[in-house]
Amino acid sequence: MATTSRSRRKQDDEKKNKKKQSPVDDRPSVPSPSESMLQNLRTAFGLLDRDSDGHVTPAELQFMLRNLGIEVSDDLIADLIKDASKTGSVIIDENEFMQWVTKIQALQGMDVSTSGGDSEEEITRDLLAAFKVFDRDDNGYITRDELRTALEMIGEPVTDAQLNQVLALGDIDRDGRIDYEEFVKMLL
């Protein structure tokens, strides 16, 4: 009988200890992002944070997505922001944004601990994607109006003088527009 009583106490103690332990998080672990990936995420956050207050609101996220041609309901945007926020609030700071995107990338199987886009193939793909953001009509050229629209889309309104400067830098053949090769030379 003494052994039964000891066994019960041992089982009770084990149950108490289990209750004290935090529940095991069975979600996949997220590796630490590389410095290159962190810099890319900081840049993305800066583009989203239109008023530069250090936070992204649902309206700021919605603005960027709509300008990229991505239609998402306001309710889904609010849910996404709440999911990204550690406190469940309707705004996220830069750290929450970076952790949220890194988690999404890890769930999609992306290796965030690598250089984050340093291979020649990845650089080419990124440059082409950036060019397409500017080339709204997909004709292979960035016109003055497309350049203005793209810069305003990311919250960078420009004057005519600034547009002239960018075009003067990028338009090597002086045809009044920037083709892909000129775009790459301007950026690299």
Side-chain angles (χ1 to χ4, degrees):
M1 191 161 181
T3 53
T4 306
S5 162
R6 273 190 229 140
S7 313
R8 284 188 187 159
R9 276 188 291 202
K10 186 176 179 182
Q11 288 174 347
D12 289 343
D13 288 344
E14 287 174 1
K15 286 180 185 178
K16 287 179 187 176
N17 288 336
K18 282 184 182 179
K19 288 180 184 177
K20 290 179 185 176
Q21 295 173 351
S22 63
V24 175
D25 189 355
D26 60 354
R27 292 178 291 183
S29 63
V30 179
S32 297
S34 68
E35 279 304 312
S36 176
M37 178 68 72
L38 286 174
Q39 188 57 44
N40 289 341
L41 290 173
R42 284 185 189 104
T43 300
F45 182 83
L47 293 173
L48 284 170
D49 184 14
R50 297 191 65 214
D51 60 4
S52 300
D53 68 351
H55 295 93
V56 170
T57 65
E60 288 170 323
L61 181 57
Q62 185 68 279
F63 176 83
M64 180 64 77
L65 291 174
R66 282 193 177 138
N67 281 320
L68 292 171
I70 301 169
E71 291 297 323
V72 179
S73 74
D74 290 339
D75 290 340
L76 180 56
I77 293 289
D79 288 345
L80 290 170
I81 294 284
K82 284 179 187 173
D83 180 55
S85 171
K86 290 180 182 174
T87 62
S89 70
V90 293
I91 60 173
I92 55 174
D93 63 24
E94 184 179 68
N95 287 333
E96 290 170 326
F97 173 78
M98 291 192 304
Q99 290 171 354
W100 180 57
V101 173
T102 302
K103 180 174 96 173
I104 290 169
Q105 290 173 332
L107 290 172
Q108 291 179 333
M110 292 179 66
D111 185 1
V112 298
S113 62
T114 60
S115 62
D118 289 338
S119 77
E120 189 172 327
E121 181 181 310
E122 289 172 320
I123 290 170
T124 301
R125 186 182 63 232
D126 291 345
L127 285 170
L128 187 56
F131 183 80
K132 287 182 176 187
V133 168
F134 287 90
D135 182 18
R136 303 288 286 175
D137 61 3
D138 201 26
N139 69 353
Y141 298 98
I142 300 170
T143 64
R144 177 186 188 84
D145 290 338
E146 287 172 323
L147 183 59
R148 180 188 301 278
T149 300
L151 291 170
E152 287 174 351
M153 177 179 77
I154 61 173
E156 296 292 332
V158 291
T159 65
D160 285 338
Q162 290 169 322
L163 273 177
N164 290 337
Q165 288 175 336
V166 173
L167 282 170
L169 284 172
D171 184 18
I172 296 168
D173 62 8
R174 304 287 182 236
D175 65 351
R177 55 194 183 175
I178 299 171
D179 62 31
Y180 178 72
E181 287 80 22
E182 292 170 328
F183 181 78
V184 170
K185 287 178 184 174
M186 185 171 62
L187 293 179
L188 299 178

